[in-house]
Amino acid sequence: MASLSGLCSSSPSLKPKHNGISKLTPSLREDSLAFSTRSNSNSKVVATHSVARGISADLSKTNNVSVLKKASQGGELEKDPKTLWRRYVDWLYQHKELGLYLDVSRIGFSDQFVSEMEPRFQVAFKSMEELEKGAIANPDEGRMVGHYWLRNAKLGPNSFLRLQIENTLDAVCKFADDVISGKIKPPSSPERRFTQILSVGIGGSALGPQFVAEALAPDNPPLKIRFIDNTDPAGIDHQIAQLGSELASTLVIVISKSGGTPETRNGLLEVQKAFREAGLDFAKQGVAITQENSLLDNTARIEGWVARFPMFDWVGGRTSEMSAVGLLPAALQGIDIREMLVGASMMDEATRSTVLRNNPAALLALCWYRATDGIGSKVNQGITVYGNKGSTDQHAYIQQLREGVHNFFVTFIEVLRDRPPGHDWELEPGVTCGDYLFGMLQGTRSALYANDRESITVSVQEVTPRSVGALIALYERAVGIYASLININAYHQPGVEAGKKAAGEVLALQKRVLAVLNEASCKDPVEPLTLEQVADRCHAPEDIEMIYKIIEHMAANDRALIAEGSCGSPHSLKVFLGECNLDELYA
């Protein structure tokens, strides 16, 4: 029995199944993502959704979780085995063509709760329908949200968009075929073909491709993939060092809608530096996936990069796996991307149902809302996701989940087939390795439920591009429906933008600190400055703590020198730069 990795937005776990489609397998994530490391195909993943619960003032005084649940949509969880079996059968969802099952019987919603939620679900269904028709979903940017069109171009609101989708898919497939066949090759590699992919992107431009690579790439793909998904210098250096001489046969895919995302830009600059130091021409090995006429697109066009593929303004990063963002890296690894699209399209059709019981995404959203004591206020509810694989959890945090603070629910992702036909064997009479994993999943589910810990189980028959595409589509739709229930916009991210703005302000302050220290360092004699003096000369006395942190970081990297005191005693510090930069002084 195999299994997928954590859900909701992040990295993967899972190995491919060699069952005729060439090379396949998955691992999961949802809106917030948690990734576990790759395991072999008989692994089961427990994705645990920890919850920021909304608690009204009159309830917040009690620590009794069962009281809280009862006060919202609950009641005691059913424990009678016969009644539970009937509940399991009554609420089991099956998609026969996809081989997918959804078990929500271990979430304690009542029939009354479902009835009370019905009007809100009808509103959510209507919102999803309008979304697919091209309604503006991101008001700040005036953008539609059209990731559903990517797997069925006929749904696009106009002929121009439909043609864009079809042409991009054809271009991705042709480019991947040409690279794998050696028709497109690097100029300086002894192998005379590309052997590695280095994907540079962050957030939705990295999480989806990482997940699919871990889930579906064959053991020996035509091109192996690595990711630079952060601005961490040590991580960047590690990835480049691991490539070694194969840098000459590495296809670098740079993914950024605007082309100005700082982390992606930094990764690109670091990789370009490595190419220069190795005497390689980056443009001959670079591919851009970005919005037309963005800074990145224009750079790639002017410099003559190998290829450019579009990111559409109506596809958000978190739902971009079925665009060139996810399809190009997958195709280059030999993954059947058209089958992924078929699976996603089939699930889209299933999740358009306005009958709650027949809509797996709606069932997930119902469970999330119920298990998180849904209050429906934008500031009072949310889901954080983390996870691990299979029985690993038995030796990690299951004890915490069963006996610790009850502020979560669990999602099990189960793959029913353990190994390809003919490859299984018995460790002992009647018991295979996959049987142990199956036992761990069922035992963990039962042990948690016995202590009132709720869970959802998503099962797929086997891991294929089609089932992975379906799972991605299932969670995309579930997030949209759940967002409607709790009155938030799933396709807008003001919090992310606020964080980016704050980071920019820190860097702007750092430039002012550098200017002040440089001016003092150019004096004769050099004038070491206290933190208070730096803050005063930056005209930012209210930012003295941040100035301290900036100087601490600079000193640790030999970009500032401590003349007196130590960082452990901030008031004792006097600092200056190691040298005077006259160009900066008179700039």
Side-chain angles (χ1 to χ4, degrees):
M1 165 175 302
S3 199
L4 304 188
S5 156
L7 294 197
C8 209
S9 67
S10 180
S11 234
S13 156
L14 228 0
K15 230 158 168 176
K17 305 277 180 183
H18 305 293
N19 50 5
I21 301 186
S22 99
K23 306 126 180 171
L24 342 150
T25 324
S27 199
L28 263 231
R29 239 133 293 301
E30 173 202 293
D31 195 50
S32 303
L33 274 118
F35 291 68
S36 59
T37 56
R38 183 165 187 156
S39 66
N40 62 29
S41 60
N42 12 352
S43 66
K44 183 145 281 116
V45 178
V46 180
T48 302
H49 304 232
S50 72
V51 175
R53 294 177 179 271
I55 301 175
S56 60
D58 58 329
L59 292 177
S60 62
K61 298 174 183 177
T62 176
N63 290 322
N64 190 324
V65 174
S66 64
V67 171
L68 293 179
K69 283 187 175 287
K70 202 165 184 179
S72 52
Q73 320 80 12
E76 298 299 323
L77 295 179
E78 181 59 64
K79 296 296 176 65
D80 176 68
K82 291 183 178 179
T83 306
L84 268 179
W85 168 241
R86 287 195 298 270
R87 180 177 175 82
Y88 176 86
V89 172
D90 287 346
W91 284 99
L92 180 65
Y93 171 86
Q94 178 189 15
H95 194 300
K96 291 182 179 179
E97 291 81 5
L98 288 169
L100 181 143
Y101 304 84
L102 175 61
D103 165 26
V104 298
S105 65
R106 267 43 176 191
I107 298 290
F109 56 82
S110 65
D111 289 344
Q112 179 184 351
F113 174 63
V114 175
S115 296
E116 291 171 352
M117 292 297 294
E118 183 65 32
R120 301 180 72 168
F121 272 96
Q122 292 306 318
V123 171
F125 294 149
K126 186 63 177 176
S127 296
M128 291 293 102
E129 182 183 350
E130 294 301 318
L131 192 76
E132 289 200 48
K133 289 180 179 178
I136 298 300
N138 187 324
D140 287 355
E141 300 175 1
R143 288 180 178 173
M144 300 179 291
V145 172
H147 51 277
Y148 299 105
W149 312 330
L150 294 169
R151 44 263 200 168
N152 188 350
K154 294 177 183 178
L155 297 175
N158 59 61
S159 58
F160 175 71
L161 290 186
R162 293 193 287 271
L163 190 61
Q164 270 191 317
I165 295 166
E166 292 167 352
N167 288 347
T168 299
L169 178 59
D170 289 342
V172 164
C173 291
K174 183 179 186 307
F175 180 80
D177 288 344
D178 288 347
V179 169
I180 291 171
S181 68
K183 185 175 180 180
I184 296 176
K185 57 178 67 104
S188 307
S189 170
E191 291 90 351
R192 301 299 296 161
R193 68 178 188 87
F194 284 107
T195 62
Q196 298 276 349
I197 306 163
L198 183 58
S199 178
V200 183
I202 194 169
S205 298
L207 291 171
Q210 284 176 323
F211 151 52
V212 169
E214 287 292 333
L216 291 172
D219 291 329
N220 296 292
L223 281 79
K224 297 178 181 178
I225 192 165
R226 293 180 175 277
F227 295 90
I228 292 177
D229 61 355
N230 202 290
T231 191
D232 170 29
I236 294 172
D237 291 348
H238 175 73
Q239 292 299 331
I240 293 173
Q242 288 287 302
L243 287 169
S245 61
E246 282 194 276
L247 188 66
S249 59
T250 296
L251 188 70
V252 182
I253 304 177
V254 186
I255 308 172
S256 172
K257 178 180 275 191
S258 67
T261 306
E263 296 90 344
T264 305
R265 182 209 62 176
N266 295 353
L268 169 59
L269 293 175
E270 292 276 3
V271 172
Q272 288 177 323
K273 174 177 176 288
F275 268 73
R276 287 195 301 271
E277 291 175 348
L280 300 171
D281 184 353
F282 176 84
K284 303 300 182 186
Q285 297 175 226
V287 174
I289 302 178
T290 185
Q291 200 164 328
E292 188 176 0
N293 292 322
S294 71
L295 175 62
L296 177 59
D297 186 50
N298 290 333
T299 299
R301 176 177 50 79
I302 292 168
E303 294 181 358
W305 290 19
V306 178
R308 291 150 42 226
F309 295 92
M311 284 185 77
F312 307 120
D313 68 353
W314 39 267
V315 175
R318 69 196 63 183
T319 55
S320 64
E321 177 55 32
M322 299 295 175
S323 72
V325 169
L327 297 181
L328 179 61
L332 288 166
Q333 294 169 85
I335 297 168
D336 190 337
I337 60 174
R338 292 189 185 272
E339 273 293 290
M340 285 177 60
L341 292 168
V342 168
S345 180
M346 292 173 69
M347 181 54 70
D348 286 342
E349 188 62 33
T351 58
R352 289 188 186 103
S353 173
T354 58
V355 179
L356 199 157
R357 281 177 174 266
N358 298 336
N359 186 326
L363 287 173
L364 281 177
L366 174 76
C367 292
W368 297 348
Y369 189 87
R370 162 59 178 77
T372 57
D373 296 330
I375 299 209
S377 169
K378 137 193 280 196
V379 296
N380 287 339
Q381 186 182 85
I383 295 178
T384 300
V385 182
Y386 59 99
N388 210 337
K389 63 179 185 294
S391 54
T392 301
D393 288 346
Q394 289 296 124
H395 302 274
Y397 57 83
I398 292 300
Q399 176 70 24
Q400 167 69 17
L401 298 183
R402 191 174 190 277
E403 309 294 344
V405 177
H406 185 188
N407 63 350
F408 68 92
F409 65 98
V410 173
T411 296
F412 296 98
I413 305 293
E414 175 186 26
V415 178
L416 296 172
R417 178 174 287 284
D418 297 331
R419 284 183 169 130
H423 287 74
D424 220 342
W425 65 286
E426 295 183 350
L427 302 172
E428 55 193 79
V431 180
T432 67
C433 192
D435 294 339
Y436 272 99
L437 189 57
F438 168 78
M440 282 290 186
L441 184 151
Q442 299 302 331
T444 300
R445 174 177 175 267
S446 297
L448 290 174
Y449 191 74
N451 212 29
D452 295 331
R453 273 51 173 168
E454 296 169 294
S455 67
I456 301 166
T457 301
V458 181
S459 303
V460 293
Q461 193 68 34
E462 57 186 331
V463 173
T464 66
R466 183 171 292 200
S467 64
V468 170
L471 284 165
I472 292 171
L474 171 62
Y475 276 87
E476 284 178 345
R477 181 85 73 176
V479 169
I481 294 174
Y482 174 69
S484 177
L485 296 180
I486 63 172
N487 301 320
I488 65 171
N489 187 337
Y491 311 104
H492 193 210
Q493 51 181 29
V496 174
E497 295 306 320
K500 292 179 179 179
K501 180 181 177 183
E505 290 170 354
V506 171
L507 294 176
L509 179 59
Q510 177 173 304
K511 290 180 179 179
R512 286 154 60 195
V513 169
L514 280 169
V516 166
L517 290 177
N518 185 59
E519 183 177 0
S521 298
C522 288
K523 292 183 178 180
D524 189 14
V526 170
E527 180 188 11
L529 300 178
T530 65
L531 288 175
E532 289 76 7
Q533 288 174 316
V534 175
D536 183 61
R537 296 184 190 186
C538 286
H539 306 291
E542 70 283 0
D543 292 325
I544 191 167
E545 181 178 335
M546 186 58 67
I547 288 171
Y548 162 70
K549 291 181 179 296
I550 288 169
I551 288 174
E552 179 186 41
H553 180 246
M554 290 171 56
N557 288 277
D558 304 321
R559 295 162 63 201
L561 299 179
I562 297 175
E564 295 180 21
S566 72
C567 289
S569 179
H571 287 301
S572 70
L573 273 180
K574 283 193 173 183
V575 296
F576 65 100
L577 298 183
E579 58 184 26
C580 166
N581 188 329
L582 291 175
D583 291 336
E584 289 292 330
L585 186 63
Y586 296 110

